[in-house]
Amino acid sequence: MNMMRFSSLRAAALLCGISLCGLSVPALAQGETVDMHVDTDTAGGEVIDRNIFGQFAEHLGQGIYGGVWVGKKSPIPNVRGIRSDVVAALKAIHVPNVRWPGGCFADEYHWRDGVGPASARKVHVNSNWGGVPEANTFGTDEFMDFANQIGADAYVSVNVGSGSPEEAGDWLEYMTAPTKTTLAKERAANGHPAPYKVAILGLGNENWGCGGAMSPDHYVEEMKRFAHYVHNFNPEQHTANQMKRVAVGWDSGKSDYTEEVMKAWASRVYSWDIEGVSLHNYVVGGWPPHLPATGFGEDDYAASIREAFNMDKLIVRQTSIMDKYDPSKKVFLSVDEWGAWLAPTPGSHEGFLAQQNSLRDAILAAVNLNIFARHADRVKNANIAQMINVLQAMILTDGPKMVLTPTYHIYHMYVPFQDATFVPVSYDAGRYVHGKDSMPRLDAIAARDKEGHLWLSLVNIDPNNAVSIHLDHATSATGQVLTAPKVDAVNTFAAPDAVTPQAVKIEAGAKGLVIDVPAKAVMVVRLD
Ligand code: AHR
């Protein structure tokens, strides 16, 4: 079987629009060994920006209230109202940034409602998510405290849909101005004299839909005003660590915001600029979301993983639009909402988007992260939706109980890839075919971390057959593998370790280094 370089696969993908589509790669027979070459001789690979491992936390269901915020008087151990078990778990996955307060919620959010004494804060209706009261107990200062406790940067989305540049400008001044202005003094009086760092600024959210149903032209005019009037005054972000502004892009193909935003950017004047454009895309299987989160079999598994591979097609399409206006890749693509959007947990509030998280979702996450890594030249940020208790979550909570999901374990296993340098891998991916669903059987990326260690991720998508990988040039592999007896295996409060990583250590034998990857598994190893 001929070896095919992944770079040639990507070239083919550009031509036919989806990775590996149309290529007649024969399926691998069971027990077959795949030769893999990690091309360590190629220098100058792209850095896999740690921000592709970002999280998204919206005021939605129990994403914030119950998931992050329990209140200062809660019997659940907390620091200033923020639950300590969740903070410890998130610190371990080195969350680079958290996107907040939405989502659709952001374009109805008025920051003033969420600062100052808790008892004086306005209670609103959360009209997007279940019509429940939003007490604004968790506001700007609580969010910044949370981000600081987990060691993450703040990605703040301002209200373009129902707000004004003045309101957003004031919010940024409240957060970032040194203690001379009225708003900075107000922040100091609320307990934080030093300016906050706002690493990323979202200029609206899905403004084609919940963000105001704006035409692309209308959005572009609004976006320019926000990009001009919303300043970051933090002295530590003036030269280094400058705030990155992300405009709204992809609108599910209705017209294409990305085209209009990039066209405007190419002829921008001195008074405004952006550094990123967003892309949102969920694995959903059609609206309303109906893919089961539990109790499913190979049909649903194959359909959802096949749909996950569409992310590559979308990025290729968005990149080709961006390349027209920005061939030197100054503006990055921010995939700031992605993940599996499944049928809600039976008995849960439909507006809370609560769902279980299975081994299938872990594999889906690894497939997406690998796609982002391969597009590291353009994709510099991504935020999985959503961090806790909502959609494809890292963590589920119920009162004092907390459980880590299979997706959490993927993020933990992938920590070595944060800011590592992409290294090309050559292999025959083969095909996993189930009914009408056909996709690569094997998916792999490699990268070198700052200490010089070489890391390899191997995703065996086939739920029925293990695969053996033969690697040249390596003598041992040490790391972890995540798998389970069934694709719909989940972690529960009663059985929190049903899907949990197992340590692996493989030494080279007479045939060199051969790594056996179980069926339906993700393995991350350090190669020595
Ligand atoms: O993540 C849930 C919702 O999905 C977000 O609020 C919105 O931006 C998207 O449509």
Side-chain angles (χ1 to χ4, degrees), residues 317-374:
R317 177 172 161 176
Q318 294 295 294
T319 300
S320 70
I321 297 170
M322 296 173 80
D323 283 351
K324 267 197 294 180
Y325 302 101
D326 175 28
S328 53
K329 301 190 192 294
K330 289 195 174 111
V331 179
F332 63 88
L333 192 59
S334 174
V335 191
D336 45 37
E337 284 187 34
W338 69 274
W341 189 324
L342 309 173
T345 301
S348 67
H349 190 312
E350 290 233 338
F352 284 7
L353 310 188
Q355 63 188 46
Q356 246 296 3
N357 191 297
S358 64
L359 175 66
R360 180 265 318 268
D361 304 324
I363 292 171
L364 187 151
V367 165
N368 271 279
L369 292 171
N370 289 1
I371 291 169
F372 301 152
R374 286 186 198 107

Side-chain angles (χ1 to χ4, degrees), residues 390-412:
V390 176
L391 298 179
Q392 189 172 348
M394 304 294 115
I395 295 173
L396 303 177
T397 66
D398 180 12
K401 292 180 272 188
M402 179 188 88
V403 66
L404 306 176
T405 67
T407 301
Y408 173 92
H409 293 307
I410 294 297
Y411 274 69
H412 198 218

Side-chain angles (χ1 to χ4, degrees), residues 56 58 60 99 102-105 128-129 205-206 208 210 280 282 287 337 341 353 385-386 390-391:
F56 174 33
E58 180 166 13
L60 193 178
R99 180 173 181 254
C104 295
F105 182 85
N128 283 289
W129 305 116
N205 171 77
E206 297 191 358
W208 67 82
C210 63
H280 291 182
Y282 290 93
W287 299 93
E337 284 187 34
W341 189 324
L353 310 188
Q386 299 192 3
V390 176
L391 298 179

Side-chain angles (χ1 to χ4, degrees), residues 69 274 279 350 435:
W69 179 260
I274 54 169
L279 164 63
E350 290 233 338

Side-chain angles (χ1 to χ4, degrees), residues 108 110 113 121-127 131-136:
E108 293 194 23
H110 300 287
D113 299 339
R121 295 190 191 179
K122 274 192 194 161
V123 180
H124 280 295
V125 176
N126 188 334
S127 60
V132 295
E134 164 59 59
N136 282 303

Side-chain angles (χ1 to χ4, degrees), residues 419-432:
D419 282 340
T421 302
F422 187 81
V423 177
V425 191
S426 312
Y427 59 99
D428 175 358
R431 301 295 287 171
Y432 160 58

Side-chain angles (χ1 to χ4, degrees), residues 190-365:
N190 288 336
H192 205 275
Y196 293 119
K197 179 183 170 196
V198 179
I200 310 177
L201 187 77
L203 301 173
N205 171 77
E206 297 191 358
N207 296 89
W208 67 82
C210 63
M214 298 176 192
S215 68
D217 289 352
H218 182 178
Y219 172 71
V220 165
E221 293 311 310
E222 293 289 332
M223 179 271 289
K224 288 196 281 193
R225 295 170 69 221
F226 279 77
H228 174 60
Y229 292 114
V230 182
H231 304 286
N232 185 319
F233 296 107
N234 187 332
E236 290 179 10
Q237 294 191 261
H238 280 174
T239 43
N241 306 312
Q242 285 180 342
M243 182 174 77
K244 299 178 180 98
R245 292 155 289 187
V246 176
V248 172
W250 166 251
D251 60 355
S252 309
K254 288 179 204 92
S255 47
D256 215 323
Y257 264 46
T258 306
E259 181 89 44
E260 297 305 318
V261 167
M262 291 306 297
K263 197 189 292 174
W265 178 82
S267 55
R268 69 198 179 283
V269 293
Y270 75 94
S271 59
W272 73 277
D273 207 345
I274 54 169
E275 288 73 32
V277 176
S278 71
L279 164 63
H280 291 182
N281 181 55
Y282 290 93
V283 170
V284 67
W287 299 93
H290 57 272
L291 290 169
T294 55
F296 58 88
E298 193 168 350
D299 290 355
D300 285 307
Y301 170 78
S304 39
I305 301 295
R306 196 249 319 126
E307 193 179 332
F309 277 101
N310 283 348
M311 180 63 86
D312 187 73
K313 184 169 126 186
L314 276 178
I315 293 174
V316 167
R317 177 172 161 176
Q318 294 295 294
T319 300
S320 70
I321 297 170
M322 296 173 80
D323 283 351
K324 267 197 294 180
Y325 302 101
D326 175 28
S328 53
K329 301 190 192 294
K330 289 195 174 111
V331 179
F332 63 88
L333 192 59
S334 174
V335 191
D336 45 37
E337 284 187 34
W338 69 274
W341 189 324
L342 309 173
T345 301
S348 67
H349 190 312
E350 290 233 338
F352 284 7
L353 310 188
Q355 63 188 46
Q356 246 296 3
N357 191 297
S358 64
L359 175 66
R360 180 265 318 268
D361 304 324
I363 292 171
L364 187 151

Side-chain angles (χ1 to χ4, degrees), residues 47-119:
V47 170
I48 301 169
D49 197 312
R50 62 193 295 266
N51 283 307
I52 70 163
F53 299 93
Q55 299 286 330
F56 174 33
E58 180 166 13
H59 287 237
L60 193 178
Q62 300 215 299
I64 298 289
Y65 299 109
V68 172
W69 179 260
V70 289
K72 295 174 185 167
K73 295 185 182 151
S74 171
I76 299 170
N78 68 86
V79 174
R80 295 179 292 280
I82 295 161
R83 57 188 297 166
S84 303
D85 52 356
V86 160
V87 167
L90 292 173
K91 274 170 91 167
I93 58 171
H94 299 199
V95 177
N97 75 76
V98 182
R99 180 173 181 254
W100 174 86
C104 295
F105 182 85
D107 278 285
E108 293 194 23
Y109 184 63
H110 300 287
W111 69 274
R112 278 225 152 271
D113 299 339
V115 293
S119 56

